[in-house]
Amino acid sequence: MQNRCEAKYWLEPEVELAKNTGFSEHELNKIKRLVEKYADRFKEQFIQHVGKRIDD
């Protein structure tokens, strides 16, 4: 059986871990750095997908 890991991050008001299942602290630190690096791109892609931000 394969272990499944999942992490959810909020992008606003700042990048913050919302949920973690299975990732170590070391792995979460790496993931958070990547999420912070690409947060603006993630938000832009969300806007393109949805059409606008929910709170606009």
Side-chain angles (χ1 to χ4, degrees), residues 26-47:
H26 176 73
E27 291 169 314
L28 288 171
N29 289 332
K30 283 183 171 181
I31 295 166
K32 184 176 182 183
R33 284 193 299 273
L34 286 170
V35 173
E36 288 172 336
K37 180 176 181 179
Y38 295 105
D40 289 338
R41 284 191 190 175
F42 295 149
K43 291 182 230 180
E44 289 170 9
Q45 291 296 313
F46 177 81
I47 291 167

Side-chain angles (χ1 to χ4, degrees), residues 2-21:
Q2 181 180 0
N3 289 341
R4 295 202 158 219
C5 298
E6 181 178 330
K8 175 181 178 178
Y9 283 85
W10 296 114
L11 299 178
E12 292 184 350
E14 59 188 46
V15 174
E16 179 182 354
L17 180 65
K19 178 182 178 183
N20 172 39
T21 305

